[in-house]
Structures are given as C-alpha cells and as structure tokens.
C-alpha cells in the first residue's frame, strides 16, 4: 500500500470498509510510515477542532418560534420555576398573554417520543386503544388529558405506535397503554425511567 | 413494514406535524448552522424547511426515519438561498479530477496551531470542500449519508475531503521551513 492510497482512503481503510486484510495493511503501513502517521494524527486533531466548534444546542427561543405547539402549558408547568435568560423571557411573556391566568415562568421541560411496537398475528379491526399518562407528562396536543381512548385497526405483524410526550417533570408513575379487542386485552407499561430515557432535552429557559 | 401512526390521527394536524419534526430539530439546527454559518441565517433556513416540510407533512409522518429526507431538503434550500445571494462557488467541478499527492512530511502540523486558527483556515476552503469536511469530520456523517444529502458521488466526496484536509495542513505548515514536499496539487486524469 502506498502513501497516496492510505492518505486518500484513510477513513474507509481504518473502518474496515475495504475488508480486514486492507485494514491490516493500513495499520502496518501506519506503523512503518512517519509521514502517514503525521497525516492521520492531524486528521484526528482537525476532527476534534471541528467537533468542539459545534455551537451546541438549539436556543430555546428558536425552538419555541419553530415549534410553538411543543411547549407545555405554563399553568401546568409552573411548579419548577427556572431563571430565564433575557432572550426567552419575551417569548414566554407572549405566551403568557395568550393564556389567561398563566404564569410567565417556564418550567424545565423536555420532550420524549415513546415508540411502542405492537405485534399482532392477525389483522384486527376496531381495537380499543387506551393511554394512561402519569403526572409529570403531557400528551402533545392534549395538555390536560391524563387518559385518552380511541379505536383503530392493527395490521398483521409490526404496528408502531408513536406517542409524543412533553415531560414537565419527573414522571410520577408508569405510562400504561392498553389494547382491547374482542374481550381480550393486553397492556404495555413503561416505568418513569423508561419514559425519561426517551427524552430529548429541549432545554429549559436557562440557555440561550 | 410497520404501520405507523394511530395516534397522529388523534392530534391536530399542526400538533402532529410538530411532534413528528421535534426529534429531528437538534440535528437539523446543527446542519443549518454548518451550512449558513450563523444562528440568524440558520433559523431563517429552518423556517423555510418547516414551511416546505408542512407541505409534505403526510410523507414525514409516514416515514420511519424522515431524518435523511429532511437533511436533503435543508441542503437544497441552503443552495437556493446561496444562489439567490449570488454566492455559488463556480469552481466546484474544477479540482475534483485532480489528485492530491501524498504528504511526505513526517511531522504533525495541526497540534501546534491554535484551534481558532485551524477553524479560520477551514472557512477559507472552497465551499464544496468546506461542506464535506464539516459534515464528515465535524458532524460525523458518513460519506454515503452525505452523498444522499447533497447528491455528489462518494468517490468525489472522498477526494474533496482529502483535498480539504491536505489544504489545511499545507496552509498551516507554511512558514515553518522544515516541512518539505507536503501536498502538492497536480493535474490528473
Ligand atoms: Zn505512508
């Protein structure tokens, strides 16, 4: 393997994309070639510099402008007050205006998307779905509901149920999804830890 | 294939749309920042993406993994903006066919340079090289994913990536005389 090949194809060679023998040749070449070692080391340095340069999380204010509905009702979220950065205060003030009696202090909140895989051996029609949500969680679009029931069909095989949640605090119990069909029922339970593990930090109002 | 869904029907269209977009926003934000270079333009670009995605909300809610679709649309919108501003880099195809000679320099270069100087050098790269460098080495996307996003063959991307790295090393090695035949660019093909 020559230096040009190694430097040009460094990532793929080391990742084993060209097979095990090529990867070993590459390592052998690196062990014996100071020029390619220096090149590879500089690539690592460059990678670190670029990764560190990332500006990080989306500012909360931007998120609220882009996803205005994915914001918990302040009235429900008031428990944990957080010191706000100046930039987010305006947004919340604005929200507060729309919601009579709501506090303008945001709580720390995150979203979590819970995905349940419902396996069914047969196609089933008119299955009853019931969701029960623990305190500390809200169903996106239904901020004031602790439980929700509806009917739908299940296809043969895998059915994915996606539950978009807003976490306004630590979940205070299990999330229960209950399916009923023809007198039989099945239940899926998620513990608080399982729910929060799916959380996507959306940041509280303390970052901008 | 799994049947997605059920619950989306229970949500208002706007809520369902935002719920579907939400898991992707952080990644898209970082991409938009990489493309546009500053938070204000990045937000404008994401606003355009949201408008476009809203028109295709059915697709987004039905796709198992809409991330690549969204990244692709974001990139197209970025290019459109860039064209409107007259900033298209006309040199795109010129150096793709050229080979970069192997660097024979036995000393590392970048570990002796301040990070901000390295990043300044990155920003001086031609746009088509800067882009692949940022996506690959900065954001950790694989060449295949980048290829799907910006519609450039992986072989070309590989060359651009190598050229970008070599250019930066070469530029920053300049001035320290001990370095010899680093990274000459020569015509090929
Ligand atoms: Zn070598």
């Amino acid at each position: 393997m020559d230096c040009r090949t190694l430097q040009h194809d460094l990532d793929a060679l080391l990742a084993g994309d060209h097979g095990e023998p090529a990867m070993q040749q590459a390592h052998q070449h690196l062990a014996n070639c100071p020029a390619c070692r220096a090149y590879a080391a500089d690539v690592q340095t460059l990678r670190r510099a670029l990764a560190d340069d990332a500006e990080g999380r989306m500012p909360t204010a931007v998120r609220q402008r882009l996803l205005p509905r994915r914001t918990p009702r302040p009235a429900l979220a008031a428990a944990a007050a957080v010191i706000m950065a100046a930039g987010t205060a305006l947004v919340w003030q604005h929200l507060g205006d729309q919601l009579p009696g709501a506090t303008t202090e945001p709580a720390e909140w995150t979203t979590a998307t819970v995905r349940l895989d419902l396996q069914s051996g047969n196609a089933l029609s008119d299955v009853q779905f019931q969701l029960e949500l623990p305190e500390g969680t809200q169903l996106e679009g239904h901020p004031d509901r602790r439980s929700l029931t509806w009917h739908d069909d299940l296809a043969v095989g895998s059915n994915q149920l996606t539950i978009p949640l807003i976490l306004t605090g630590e979940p205070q119990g299990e999330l229960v999804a209950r399916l009923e069909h023809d007198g039989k029922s099945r239940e899926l339970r998620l513990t608080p830890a399982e729910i929060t593990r799916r959380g996507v930090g959306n940041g509280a109002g303390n970052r901008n | 294939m799994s049947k997605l869904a059920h619950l989306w029907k229970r949500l208002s269209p706007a809520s369902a749309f935002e719920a579907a977009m939400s898991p992707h926003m952080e990644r898209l934000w970082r991409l938009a920042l990489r493309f546009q270079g500053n938070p204000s333009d990045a937000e404008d670009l994401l606003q355009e993406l949201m408008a476009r995605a809203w028109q295709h909300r059915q697709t987004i809610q039905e796709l198992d993994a809409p991330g690549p679709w969204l990244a692709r649309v974001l990139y197209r919108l970025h290019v459109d903006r860039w064209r409107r501003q007259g900033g298209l880099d006309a040199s795109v195809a010129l150096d793709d066919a050229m080979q970069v000679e192997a660097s024979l320099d036995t000393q590392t270069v970048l570990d002796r340079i301040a990070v901000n100087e390295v990043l300044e050098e990155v920003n001086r790269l031609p746009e088509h090289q800067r882009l692949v460098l940022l996506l690959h080495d900065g954001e950790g996307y694989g060449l295949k994913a980048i290829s799907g996003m910006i519609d450039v063959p992986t072989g070309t991307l590989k060359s651009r990536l190598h050229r970008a790295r070599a250019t930066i090393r070469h530029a920053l090695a300049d001035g320290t005389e001990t370095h010899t035949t680093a990274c000459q660019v020569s015509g090929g093909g």
Side-chain angles (χ1 to χ4, degrees):
Chain A
M1 182 173 297
D2 60 21
C3 294
R4 203 194 151 272
T5 304
L6 187 125
Q7 292 177 21
H8 182 258
D9 226 1
L10 182 71
D11 306 82
L13 282 167
L14 294 185
D17 292 354
H18 297 313
E20 186 74 22
M23 182 164 73
Q24 276 172 9
Q25 278 175 32
H27 280 296
Q28 202 153 27
H29 183 112
L30 280 170
N32 296 319
C33 175
C36 285
R37 267 206 308 280
Y39 180 89
D42 273 348
V43 165
Q44 280 304 325
T45 307
L46 180 56
R47 192 170 281 161
R48 271 198 304 275
L50 289 169
D52 288 350
D53 183 46
E55 301 240 354
R57 309 197 66 84
M58 175 184 253
T60 305
V62 174
R63 193 177 181 97
Q64 287 172 342
R65 285 195 287 274
L66 292 171
L67 300 175
R69 283 172 188 79
R70 289 196 60 81
T71 303
R73 288 272 185 80
L76 283 173
V82 163
I83 296 164
M84 288 176 290
T88 59
L90 286 173
V91 177
W92 280 91
Q93 203 80 50
H94 178 66
L95 256 176
D97 289 342
Q98 295 175 331
L99 299 167
T103 168
T104 57
E105 291 185 346
E108 196 154 337
W109 57 279
T110 56
T111 59
T113 304
V114 171
R115 290 178 203 282
L116 304 180
D117 187 35
L118 311 170
Q119 298 281 345
S120 178
N122 307 302
L124 302 175
S125 61
D126 202 33
V127 178
Q128 177 176 295
F129 291 72
Q130 190 180 358
L131 274 186
E132 281 171 24
L133 303 175
E135 289 291 337
T137 67
Q138 294 177 18
L139 181 61
E140 166 59 36
H142 295 266
D144 36 15
R145 298 282 287 276
R146 294 261 64 89
S147 78
L148 187 74
T149 305
W150 73 96
H151 292 257
D152 207 328
D153 300 338
L154 285 180
V156 182
S158 180
N159 296 261
Q160 209 179 100
L161 175 60
T162 303
I163 308 171
L165 295 176
I166 293 171
L167 308 183
T168 56
E170 277 297 306
Q172 298 300 306
E174 290 179 331
L175 181 148
V176 184
R178 190 174 296 113
L179 273 66
E180 281 184 45
H181 183 259
D182 206 14
K184 297 187 201 105
S185 73
R186 290 291 308 277
E187 249 179 34
L188 276 167
R189 289 173 174 270
L190 289 184
T191 63
E194 285 173 316
I195 298 169
T196 48
R197 204 175 52 227
R198 289 162 168 84
V200 181
N202 286 332
N206 57 359
R207 190 188 285 112
N208 203 359
Chain B
M1 276 312 291
S2 62
K3 185 184 174 196
L4 267 177
H6 309 297
L7 194 58
W8 296 132
K9 294 180 200 163
R10 313 301 303 173
L11 307 178
S12 75
S15 289
F17 171 68
E18 289 190 10
M21 292 295 290
S22 176
H24 307 284
M25 294 308 281
E26 286 294 339
R27 201 123 210 237
L28 292 168
W29 169 251
R30 288 167 59 94
L31 273 181
L33 265 180
R34 294 295 199 186
F35 291 159
Q36 293 284 316
N38 69 75
S40 162
D41 286 338
E43 185 177 349
D44 288 349
L45 185 65
L46 275 192
Q47 284 287 6
E48 283 184 46
L49 177 71
M50 294 298 278
R52 182 68 59 90
W54 172 255
Q55 294 165 1
H56 297 275
R57 56 191 178 277
Q58 200 79 28
T59 309
I60 289 165
Q61 282 156 219
E62 280 166 7
L63 281 176
D64 259 337
W69 187 91
L70 290 165
R72 233 174 124 85
V73 174
L74 189 75
Y75 177 70
R76 299 232 175 99
L77 291 169
H78 159 67
V79 171
D80 287 348
R81 281 171 71 86
W82 197 22
R83 287 208 178 107
R84 283 203 301 275
Q85 292 157 11
L88 195 66
D89 187 337
S91 72
V92 169
L94 295 183
D95 59 5
D96 282 344
M98 294 181 187
Q99 289 192 348
V100 182
E101 294 302 316
S103 165
L104 302 177
D105 194 334
T106 58
Q107 292 197 42
T108 55
V109 176
L110 303 187
D111 53 345
R112 288 175 281 130
I113 310 279
V115 169
N116 63 324
E117 275 181 63
V118 175
L119 297 174
E120 272 171 32
E121 209 54 52
V122 169
N123 286 332
R124 273 195 277 276
L125 288 171
E127 181 58 22
H128 60 287
Q129 289 177 25
R130 192 184 74 94
L131 183 67
V132 63
L133 187 69
L134 291 177
L135 293 177
H136 189 277
D137 286 358
E139 291 300 313
Y141 285 93
L143 291 178
K144 226 172 136 191
I146 300 171
S147 172
M149 197 187 300
I150 71 176
D151 268 334
V152 173
T154 52
T156 306
L157 291 174
K158 195 179 280 183
S159 295
R160 289 181 186 177
L161 180 63
H162 179 39
R163 185 178 306 279
R165 289 165 170 174
T167 302
I168 284 170
R169 281 189 94 212
H170 185 52
L172 292 171
D174 266 354
T176 49
E177 292 301 321
T178 53
H179 303 289
T180 51
T181 53
C183 316
Q184 286 169 356
V185 175
S186 65

